[in-house]
Amino acid sequence: MTSPVLMDTALQQRRRLLANLTGAVGSSNARVLWTPTATEGLTVTDAAVNSRVWTHATAPGPRLRALGKGFALSWNGTTDFMTAPDAADLSFGDGAVDVPFSVFVLANITDTAAVRALFAKQNEYAYSIDNNDKAQMQLVDSSAAAVPSRLQDSATARQGTWALYSMTYSKATGGATAANDITLYENGAVVASTATNAAGYVAMENLTNVPTIGALAGGTSGWASGVLAMVYVVQANALIAAHAAVTQFCRNFYGVPL
């Protein structure tokens, strides 16, 4: 009889990771789940929403590397990024009210003096490492030109090593105090941060800009620099237990010391 361990193939291990990740916050809430495969091509079907197709701006093959039981992809800080077509389920506001959402990114960020975007939708929201090496989440009410944000108090100590950067916007109050509803995490733990509210903010809007991994403004600025292994976006208020669970799943699968 073949050992069950020997029967646990790489494909089965990947499927189990994807199931664990989506299960952590509810599979129906998953909006984006990207983690590279051994055969990563220029176009990639999203692992959570199979109608969503991501397109690399540059060939991924030479940038691919093994990481634990999976793979990771290097980003050069100038031309590497991914986009998908605009879709309503990646807008988390309709101009009148917002809905909660959370973002998780497993990355090894290079220490530079530039903004390094993790996940963004231009004129709606942006999650990034800023030019002072602090995680930042920004919401945008385009009509009101209002941008509430939350910024990490101290520079991350995780540059040059693997970390799970994550955030949640709970939409508990929204509006003029929306930034109070943002929480920043690192490796499943809350990090100290400061909210900057915008008095004119009402809600994000459902606009037509493309969602982008690893850059801002659809790939024209704020390029990521380093190595990315997983991007996971959910339309839900992910509580601290979910951030801790995703951290553990990444630790187990990718073998990184988070």
Side-chain angles (χ1 to χ4, degrees):
M1 178 181 292
T2 303
S3 165
V5 174
L6 296 179
M7 293 173 62
D8 194 16
T9 66
L11 179 58
Q12 289 170 326
Q13 292 170 345
R14 175 181 168 84
R15 286 174 174 169
R16 188 160 57 249
L17 170 72
L18 300 179
N20 286 338
L21 290 173
T22 56
V25 196
S27 58
S28 64
N29 297 318
R31 297 293 178 267
V32 170
L33 181 49
W34 169 80
T35 179
T37 68
T39 57
E40 188 83 359
L42 277 172
T43 59
V44 182
T45 300
D46 191 277
V49 181
N50 59 20
S51 60
R52 195 180 325 282
V53 176
W54 293 93
T55 300
H56 285 281
T58 58
R63 300 154 49 207
L64 195 66
R65 64 184 69 179
L67 185 68
K69 300 171 187 175
F71 294 87
L73 206 63
S74 63
W75 304 71
N76 63 11
T78 54
T79 57
D80 297 332
F81 61 93
M82 298 171 69
T83 58
D86 173 53
D89 66 348
L90 285 177
S91 292
F92 302 111
D94 62 5
V97 295
D98 288 331
V99 295
F101 74 105
S102 306
V103 181
F104 304 80
V105 180
L106 182 64
N108 184 329
I109 296 295
T110 300
D111 187 356
T112 73
V115 173
R116 286 140 290 169
L118 301 174
F119 186 76
K121 197 168 187 294
Q122 181 70 6
N123 295 325
E124 296 186 39
Y125 53 82
Y127 184 34
S128 61
I129 305 298
D130 81 349
N131 57 357
N132 292 311
D133 305 325
K134 301 176 181 181
Q136 182 177 54
M137 184 65 204
Q138 297 172 301
L139 310 176
V140 182
D141 181 339
S142 188
S143 294
V147 186
S149 64
R150 184 170 281 275
L151 179 67
Q152 188 173 356
D153 288 346
S154 301
T156 177
R158 303 292 300 182
Q159 293 176 109
T161 188
W162 285 98
L164 181 71
Y165 300 97
S166 57
M167 58 70 55
T168 285
Y169 172 48
S170 69
K171 198 266 170 186
T173 59
T177 56
N180 296 350
D181 303 336
I182 301 170
T183 306
L184 303 179
Y185 297 82
E186 197 170 284
N187 292 344
V190 176
V191 295
S193 60
T194 299
T196 300
N197 284 298
Y201 181 85
V202 176
M204 293 173 282
E205 299 175 4
N206 184 347
L207 303 177
T208 60
N209 297 295
V210 297
T212 307
I213 294 173
L216 300 173
T220 60
S221 65
W223 299 278
S225 180
V227 189
L228 273 63
M230 187 272 294
V231 177
Y232 178 36
V233 181
V234 296
Q235 185 177 302
N237 175 20
L239 303 180
I240 190 168
H243 290 265
V246 172
T247 301
Q248 189 59 47
F249 295 143
C250 290
R251 182 181 290 119
N252 292 343
F253 183 78
Y254 296 101
V256 290
L258 303 177

CSV table of all heavy atoms in Angstrom, one decimal, residues 64-88:
chain,number,residue,atom,x,y,z
A,64,LEU,N,10.7,33.5,-11.4
A,64,LEU,CA,10.1,32.5,-10.6
A,64,LEU,C,11.1,31.7,-9.7
A,64,LEU,O,12.2,31.4,-10.2
A,64,LEU,CB,9.3,31.5,-11.4
A,64,LEU,CG,8.3,30.6,-10.8
A,64,LEU,CD1,7.1,31.3,-10.2
A,64,LEU,CD2,7.8,29.5,-11.8
A,65,ARG,N,10.7,31.5,-8.5
A,65,ARG,CA,11.6,30.7,-7.6
A,65,ARG,C,10.8,29.8,-6.7
A,65,ARG,O,9.7,30.2,-6.3
A,65,ARG,CB,12.5,31.6,-6.8
A,65,ARG,CG,11.7,32.5,-5.8
A,65,ARG,CD,12.6,33.5,-5.1
A,65,ARG,NE,13.2,34.5,-6.0
A,65,ARG,CZ,14.0,35.5,-5.6
A,65,ARG,NH1,14.4,35.6,-4.3
A,65,ARG,NH2,14.4,36.4,-6.4
A,66,ALA,N,11.4,28.7,-6.3
A,66,ALA,CA,10.7,27.8,-5.3
A,66,ALA,C,10.7,28.4,-3.9
A,66,ALA,O,11.7,29.1,-3.6
A,66,ALA,CB,11.4,26.5,-5.3
A,67,LEU,N,9.6,28.2,-3.2
A,67,LEU,CA,9.5,28.7,-1.8
A,67,LEU,C,8.7,27.7,-1.0
A,67,LEU,O,7.5,27.6,-1.2
A,67,LEU,CB,8.9,30.1,-1.8
A,67,LEU,CG,8.8,30.7,-0.4
A,67,LEU,CD1,10.2,31.1,0.1
A,67,LEU,CD2,7.9,31.9,-0.4
A,68,GLY,N,9.4,26.9,-0.2
A,68,GLY,CA,8.8,25.8,0.5
A,68,GLY,C,8.1,24.9,-0.4
A,68,GLY,O,8.7,24.3,-1.3
A,69,LYS,N,6.8,24.7,-0.2
A,69,LYS,CA,6.0,23.8,-1.0
A,69,LYS,C,5.4,24.5,-2.2
A,69,LYS,O,4.6,23.9,-3.0
A,69,LYS,CB,4.8,23.1,-0.2
A,69,LYS,CG,5.3,22.3,1.0
A,69,LYS,CD,4.2,21.9,1.8
A,69,LYS,CE,4.6,21.3,3.1
A,69,LYS,NZ,3.5,21.0,4.0
A,70,GLY,N,5.7,25.8,-2.4
A,70,GLY,CA,5.1,26.6,-3.4
A,70,GLY,C,6.2,27.4,-4.2
A,70,GLY,O,7.3,27.0,-4.3
A,71,PHE,N,5.8,28.5,-4.7
A,71,PHE,CA,6.6,29.3,-5.5
A,71,PHE,C,6.4,30.8,-5.2
A,71,PHE,O,5.4,31.2,-4.6
A,71,PHE,CB,6.4,29.1,-7.0
A,71,PHE,CG,6.7,27.7,-7.5
A,71,PHE,CD1,5.8,26.7,-7.4
A,71,PHE,CD2,8.0,27.5,-8.0
A,71,PHE,CE1,6.1,25.4,-7.7
A,71,PHE,CE2,8.3,26.2,-8.3
A,71,PHE,CZ,7.4,25.1,-8.2
A,72,ALA,N,7.4,31.6,-5.5
A,72,ALA,CA,7.3,33.1,-5.3
A,72,ALA,C,7.9,33.7,-6.6
A,72,ALA,O,8.5,33.1,-7.4
A,72,ALA,CB,8.1,33.5,-4.1
A,73,LEU,N,7.6,35.0,-6.7
A,73,LEU,CA,8.0,35.8,-7.9
A,73,LEU,C,8.7,37.1,-7.5
A,73,LEU,O,8.2,37.8,-6.7
A,73,LEU,CB,6.7,36.0,-8.7
A,73,LEU,CG,6.8,36.2,-10.3
A,73,LEU,CD1,7.3,35.0,-10.9
A,73,LEU,CD2,5.5,36.6,-10.8
A,74,SER,N,9.8,37.4,-8.2
A,74,SER,CA,10.5,38.6,-7.9
A,74,SER,C,9.9,39.8,-8.7
A,74,SER,O,9.3,39.6,-9.8
A,74,SER,CB,12.0,38.5,-8.3
A,74,SER,OG,12.1,38.3,-9.6
A,75,TRP,N,10.0,41.0,-8.1
A,75,TRP,CA,9.4,42.2,-8.7
A,75,TRP,C,10.5,43.2,-8.7
A,75,TRP,O,11.1,43.5,-7.6
A,75,TRP,CB,8.2,42.7,-7.9
A,75,TRP,CG,7.2,41.6,-7.8
A,75,TRP,CD1,7.2,40.5,-7.0
A,75,TRP,CD2,5.9,41.6,-8.4
A,75,TRP,NE1,6.1,39.7,-7.2
A,75,TRP,CE2,5.2,40.4,-8.0
A,75,TRP,CE3,5.2,42.5,-9.3
A,75,TRP,CZ2,4.0,40.0,-8.5
A,75,TRP,CZ3,4.0,42.1,-9.8
A,75,TRP,CH2,3.4,40.9,-9.4
A,76,ASN,N,10.8,43.9,-9.8
A,76,ASN,CA,12.0,44.7,-10.0
A,76,ASN,C,11.9,46.1,-9.5
A,76,ASN,O,12.9,46.9,-9.6
A,76,ASN,CB,12.5,44.6,-11.4
A,76,ASN,CG,11.6,45.2,-12.4
A,76,ASN,OD1,10.6,45.8,-12.1
A,76,ASN,ND2,11.8,44.9,-13.7
A,77,GLY,N,10.7,46.6,-9.1
A,77,GLY,CA,10.6,48.0,-8.7
A,77,GLY,C,10.4,49.0,-9.8
A,77,GLY,O,10.4,50.2,-9.6
A,78,THR,N,10.4,48.5,-11.1
A,78,THR,CA,10.2,49.5,-12.2
A,78,THR,C,9.2,49.0,-13.2
A,78,THR,O,8.5,49.9,-13.8
A,78,THR,CB,11.6,49.6,-12.9
A,78,THR,OG1,12.1,48.4,-13.3
A,78,THR,CG2,12.6,50.3,-12.0
A,79,THR,N,9.1,47.8,-13.6
A,79,THR,CA,8.2,47.3,-14.6
A,79,THR,C,7.4,46.2,-14.3
A,79,THR,O,6.5,45.8,-15.1
A,79,THR,CB,9.1,47.0,-15.9
A,79,THR,OG1,10.0,46.0,-15.6
A,79,THR,CG2,9.8,48.2,-16.4
A,80,ASP,N,7.6,45.5,-13.2
A,80,ASP,CA,6.8,44.3,-12.9
A,80,ASP,C,5.5,44.6,-12.1
A,80,ASP,O,5.6,45.3,-11.1
A,80,ASP,CB,7.7,43.3,-12.0
A,80,ASP,CG,8.9,42.8,-12.7
A,80,ASP,OD1,8.9,42.8,-14.0
A,80,ASP,OD2,9.9,42.5,-12.0
A,81,PHE,N,4.4,44.1,-12.6
A,81,PHE,CA,3.1,44.3,-12.0
A,81,PHE,C,2.1,43.4,-12.7
A,81,PHE,O,2.4,42.8,-13.7
A,81,PHE,CB,2.6,45.7,-12.0
A,81,PHE,CG,2.4,46.3,-13.3
A,81,PHE,CD1,1.1,46.3,-13.9
A,81,PHE,CD2,3.4,46.9,-14.0
A,81,PHE,CE1,0.9,46.9,-15.2
A,81,PHE,CE2,3.2,47.5,-15.3
A,81,PHE,CZ,2.0,47.5,-15.9
A,82,MET,N,0.9,43.3,-12.1
A,82,MET,CA,-0.2,42.5,-12.6
A,82,MET,C,-1.4,43.3,-12.6
A,82,MET,O,-1.7,44.0,-11.6
A,82,MET,CB,-0.4,41.2,-11.8
A,82,MET,CG,0.8,40.2,-11.8
A,82,MET,SD,0.5,38.9,-10.6
A,82,MET,CE,-0.8,38.0,-11.5
A,83,THR,N,-2.3,43.1,-13.6
A,83,THR,CA,-3.6,43.7,-13.6
A,83,THR,C,-4.6,42.7,-14.0
A,83,THR,O,-4.4,41.7,-14.7
A,83,THR,CB,-3.6,44.9,-14.6
A,83,THR,OG1,-3.3,44.5,-15.9
A,83,THR,CG2,-2.7,46.0,-14.2
A,84,ALA,N,-5.9,43.0,-13.7
A,84,ALA,CA,-7.0,42.3,-14.1
A,84,ALA,C,-8.1,43.3,-14.6
A,84,ALA,O,-8.0,44.4,-14.2
A,84,ALA,CB,-7.6,41.4,-13.0
A,85,PRO,N,-9.0,42.8,-15.4
A,85,PRO,CA,-10.1,43.8,-15.8
A,85,PRO,C,-10.9,44.3,-14.7
A,85,PRO,O,-11.0,43.6,-13.6
A,85,PRO,CB,-11.0,42.9,-16.7
A,85,PRO,CG,-10.0,41.8,-17.2
A,85,PRO,CD,-9.1,41.5,-16.1
A,86,ASP,N,-11.4,45.5,-14.8
A,86,ASP,CA,-12.2,46.1,-13.8
A,86,ASP,C,-13.4,45.2,-13.5
A,86,ASP,O,-14.0,44.6,-14.5
A,86,ASP,CB,-12.7,47.5,-14.2
A,86,ASP,CG,-13.7,48.1,-13.3
A,86,ASP,OD1,-13.5,48.1,-12.0
A,86,ASP,OD2,-14.8,48.4,-13.7
A,87,ALA,N,-13.8,45.1,-12.3
A,87,ALA,CA,-15.0,44.3,-11.9
A,87,ALA,C,-15.6,44.9,-10.7
A,87,ALA,O,-14.9,45.3,-9.8
A,87,ALA,CB,-14.6,42.8,-11.7
A,88,ALA,N,-16.9,44.8,-10.6
A,88,ALA,CA,-17.7,45.5,-9.5
A,88,ALA,C,-17.3,44.9,-8.2
A,88,ALA,O,-17.4,45.6,-7.1
A,88,ALA,CB,-19.2,45.4,-9.8
